[in-house]
C-alpha cells in the first residue's frame, strides 16, 4: 500500500475518519517509520479516540518514543471524553513524573473532567496546581474553573476566580454569567450582564445562553421575553443553542404557544432543538404530543441520540402504554442504542410502569454496562411492585460492585418500603442515607418517610418529623401527611395540617378536594364549606348521586372562576341533606347542581 505524502497530510487533516481508514493510515506510518514523529502519532491517536477505540489509542501512545505535549493532551482528552476519569488522572500523574510540563490545555481538560465527574476535591487540587504552575490567570484555565465551580454549586469559588482576573475577556464574562444561570441566580446574572456591557464588551450568543438559563419560573417570564427580544436585536435567535434554550425556557414556564413559535421559526432545527422541544412537552405532561413530535422528527430525516431516546421512553412510561414504548425499544435496537446505559435504564423503568416488570428485569439482566442510574431503575421498579426484599438485594449488590448511591437511590428504597409497609427498614435506610453516605434528605425523601410512618398509623411520629423541618416546609410533605390523616380518619390532625396548607395560600386544589372528601365521608358538612372556601372567592362544583349509593365526580368550569370538585356518599339521604345544607350556606359563592339518577327511568 502506497499513499502519496500530500494525500497523507490531506487525510490526517480531516475532522474524522472511519476506524478502517484509521488503521490503514496507522499501518502506513509504521511502515514508513513516521510513527516516531509525534505529529503523525497525535493525528492517528485522535482518530482512534473519535472512533472510541481507546485501546488502540493507548497502544499507539505507549509505542511512541518521543511524546509531545499534544500527544499527552490528546490521550488525556480521549479518556475524559469517554468518562474514564481515573485513566485521565492516572495519565496526568505519569506526565508529572516525566520531563513533560503540563500546559493550559492539559489543566483545562482535567478541570472540565472534574466537574463532569462531580469531583470537587480533584477540582481544588487542580486549582492549586494551576497556581503553582503560574497558569492561574490564564483565560482558558480560568473560564474552565469558573464553569466547573459553578456546575458543582461552588458559585463563591467561581466568583473568586473571576474577580481575580484584572481584565476578563468575553469568554470569562460568559462563563460567570452561565454560572449564575446554572443556579438560577437571575438578579446576579443580569447585574453581571449589565456590567459587562458598561465595560465595552458586546454580548454574543453565549452571553444570552447564560441569561436564558436563569428563567425557570413563570413569575419571571416577562424578563425572559425581554431577553428573547435582545436575542432578536443581536441576531442570534437562529443559533441552534440559543433557540433550543428559548424553547426550553418557554416550556418550563408552560408557554407552549411561544415555544412552538420559536421552533416553527427555524428552517432546519437540529437534534438539540428537537430534544428541547420533545423533553419540554413531555415535562409539561403532554406525552402524546411529545411522541407526535418524535415521529415528525423522524419523518423529516432527523435521527435521535441515546439521550433523546431515553426522554421519549420516559414519555411512554407516563402514558403507561407499552405499545409505543416497545416501538421505541425497536428503534433503539435498530440504531444501536439499546445497550447504552441511559437507554437501558429508561427501558427498565418504562416496562415496569407499563405493567411488564419481567420485561424490565430482562433488560436489566442483559445490560453489559451498568451505573448507579441502572441500579436505581431496577430498585424503583421492584419496589413499585411491592418486592422490597429484592430491591434491598439489588442495592447491596450495587454497593458490593463499588457504586456510590445517590439521592435517587434512597428515594427508590424508601418508596419500596412504603409499598411494602416496612417502617423499620425505612427508618434504617433514612438513617444510613445521612450518617453513612452523607446525603442530605430532600423533599421526596421526607414525603416517603411521612407516608411510611403515617400509613402505618404512626401519625404522631410523622407529624413530629414534619415539625422538625426548617420553614418553609414544602406543601408536598404536608399533603402526604394529610393523605395519611384521610386514611386513618384523624380529623383533629387533619385540621392542623389543613391550616398549614391553606394558611399558606396553597393554589393546588387537589388537597382541598382530599380534605372535603374526608369531611364528607365523616358527615362533617360544616367543615366542607370551610375547606372549600378557605382563601378562595369562586368555587364551582357539581354533585351527582348514583342509584348505587356511590359518588361520581364532574365539574363545570365558568370563566374567571376557580374550579373545585368533590364527591359525596349518598347514604340514607344524609349526604343529600348535607349537600343541600352546604348549598344554602354558601349559595352566594358557589354553583351546585345536584342530579339524581333514578335507575327506574
Amino acid at each position: 500500500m502506497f499513499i502519496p505524502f500530500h494525500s497523507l497530510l490531506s487525510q490526517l487533516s480531516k475532522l474524522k475518519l472511519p476506524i478502517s481508514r484509521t488503521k490503514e493510515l496507522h499501518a502506513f506510518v509504521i511502515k514508513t517509520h513516521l510513527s516516531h514523529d509525534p505529529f503523525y502519532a497525535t493525528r492517528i491517536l485522535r482518530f482512534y479516540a473519535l472512533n472510541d477505540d481507546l485501546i488502540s489509542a493507548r497502544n499507539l501512545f505507549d509505542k511512541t518514543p518521543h511524546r509531545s505535549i499534544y500527544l499527552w493532551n490528546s490521550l488525556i482528552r480521549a479518556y475524559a471524553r469517554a468518562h474514564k476519569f481515573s485513566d485521565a488522572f492516572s495519565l496526568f500523574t505519569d506526565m508529572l513524573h516525566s520531563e513533560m510540563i503540563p500546559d493550559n490545555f492539559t489543566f483545562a481538560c482535567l478541570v472540565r473532567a472534574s466537574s463532569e465527574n462531580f469531583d470537587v476535591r480533584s477540582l481544588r487540587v487542580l486549582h492549586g496546581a494551576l497556581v503553582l504552575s503560574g497558569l492561574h490567570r490564564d483565560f482558558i484555565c480560568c473560564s474552565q474553573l469558573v464553569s466547573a465551580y459553578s456546575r458543582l454549586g461552588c458559585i463563591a469559588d467561581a466568583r473568586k476566580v473571576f474577580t481575580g482576573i484584572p481584565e476578563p475577556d468575553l469568554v470569562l464574562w460568559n462563563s460567570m454569567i452561565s454560572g449564575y444561570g446554572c443556579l438560577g441566580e437571575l438578579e446576579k446574572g443580569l447585574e453581571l450582564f449589565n456590567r459587562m456591557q458598561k465595560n465595552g464588551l458586546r454580548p454574543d450568543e453565549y452571553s444570552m445562553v447564560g441569561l436564558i438559563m436563569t428563567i425557570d419560573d413563570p413569575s419571571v417570564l416577562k424578563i425572559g421575553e425581554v431577553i428573547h427580544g435582545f436575542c432578536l436585536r443581536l441576531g442570534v435567535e437562529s443559533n441552534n443553542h440559543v433557540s433550543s434554550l428559548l424553547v426550553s425556557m418557554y416550556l418550563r414556564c408552560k408557554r407552549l404557544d411561544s415555544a412552538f413559535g420559536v421552533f416553527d421559526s427555524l428552517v432546519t432545527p437540529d437534534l438539540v432543538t428537537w430534544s428541547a422541544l420533545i423533553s419540554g412537552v413531555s415535562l409539561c405532561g403532554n406525552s402524546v404530543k411529545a411522541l407526535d413530535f418524535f415521529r415528525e422528527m423522524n419523518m423529516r430525516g432527523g435521527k435521535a441520540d441515546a439521550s433523546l431516546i431515553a426522554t421519549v421512553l420516559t414519555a411512554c412510561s407516563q402514558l403507561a402504554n407499552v405499545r409505543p414504548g416497545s416501538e421505541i425499544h425497536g428503534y433503539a435496537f435498530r440504531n444501536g442504542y439499546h445497550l447504552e446505559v441511559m437507554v437501558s435504564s429508561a427501558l427498565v423503568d418504562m416496562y415496569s410502569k407499563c405493567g411488564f416488570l419481567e420485561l424490565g428485569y430482562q433488560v436489566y439482566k442483559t445490560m453489559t454496562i451498568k451505573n448507579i442510574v441502572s441500579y436505581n431503575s431496577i430498585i424503583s421498579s421492584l419496589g413499585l411492585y411491592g418486592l422490597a426484599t429484592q430491591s434491598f438485594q439489588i442495592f447491596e449488590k450495587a454497593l458490593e460492585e463499588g457504586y456510590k448511591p445517590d439521592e435517587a437511590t434512597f428515594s427508590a428504597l424508601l418508596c419500596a418500603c412504603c409499598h411494602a409497609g416496612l417502617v423499620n427498614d425505612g427508618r434504617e435506610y433514612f438513617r444510613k442515607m445521612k450518617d453513612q453516605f452523607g446525603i442530605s434528605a430532600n423533599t421526596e425523601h421526607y414525603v416517603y418517610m411521612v407516608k411510611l410512618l403515617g400509613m402505618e398509623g404512626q401519625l404522631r411520629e410523622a407529624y413530629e418529623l414534619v415539625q422538625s423541618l426548617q420553614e418553609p416546609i414544602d406543601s408536598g410533605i404536608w399533603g402526604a401527611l394529610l393523605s395519611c390523616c384521610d386514611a386513618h380518619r384523624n380529623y383533629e390532625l387533619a385540621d392542623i395540617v389543613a391550616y398549614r396548607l391553606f394558611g399558606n395560600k396553597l393554589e393546588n386544589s387537589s388537597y382541598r378536594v382530599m380534605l372535603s372528601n374526608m369531611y364528607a365521608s365523616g358527615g362533617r358538612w360544616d367543615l366542607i364549606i370551610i375547606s372549600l372556601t378557605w382563601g378562595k372567592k369562586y368555587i364551582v362544583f357539581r354533585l351527582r348521586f348514583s342509584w348505587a349509593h356511590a359518588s361520581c365526580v364532574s365539574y363545570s368550569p365558568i370563566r374567571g372562576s376557580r374550579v373545585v370538585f368533590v364527591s359525596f356518599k349518598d347514604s340514607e339521604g344524609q349526604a343529600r341533606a348535607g349537600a343541600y345544607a352546604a348549598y344554602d350556606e354558601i349559595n352566594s359563592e358557589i354553583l351546585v347542581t345536584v342530579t339524581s339518577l333514578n335507575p327506574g327511568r
Side-chain angles (χ1 to χ4, degrees), residues 8 42 63 107 132 157 182 192 209 253 265 273 275 286 323 334 339 347 354 379 432 509 596:
L8 174 64
T42 301
K63 292 177 181 178
F107 282 110
L132 291 174
D157 295 286
C182 288
L192 208 62
V209 162
C253 298
S265 68
T273 311
S275 298
N286 197 338
R323 181 174 178 178
R334 290 191 300 274
L339 295 179
L347 282 167
C354 292
I379 290 169
K432 279 185 177 180
S509 62
S596 178

Side-chain angles (χ1 to χ4, degrees), residues 360-380:
Y361 189 72
Q362 288 302 318
V363 172
Y364 163 78
K365 293 291 287 183
T366 57
M367 290 174 69
T368 55
I369 301 174
K370 296 184 179 74
N371 60 14
I372 192 60
V373 178
S374 316
Y375 282 104
N376 291 348
S377 296
I378 192 63
I379 290 169
S380 177

Side-chain angles (χ1 to χ4, degrees), residues 83-120:
H83 285 190
K84 294 183 177 293
F85 302 114
S86 59
D87 292 326
F89 281 97
S90 176
L91 190 62
F92 175 64
T93 303
D94 293 341
M95 179 193 283
L96 294 177
H97 288 98
S98 71
E99 296 179 354
M100 187 61 60
I101 299 173
D103 63 2
N104 53 350
F105 290 101
T106 314
F107 282 110
C109 179
L110 290 168
V111 164
R112 180 170 181 173
S114 297
S115 69
E116 290 179 351
N117 196 32
F118 301 100
D119 189 348
V120 179

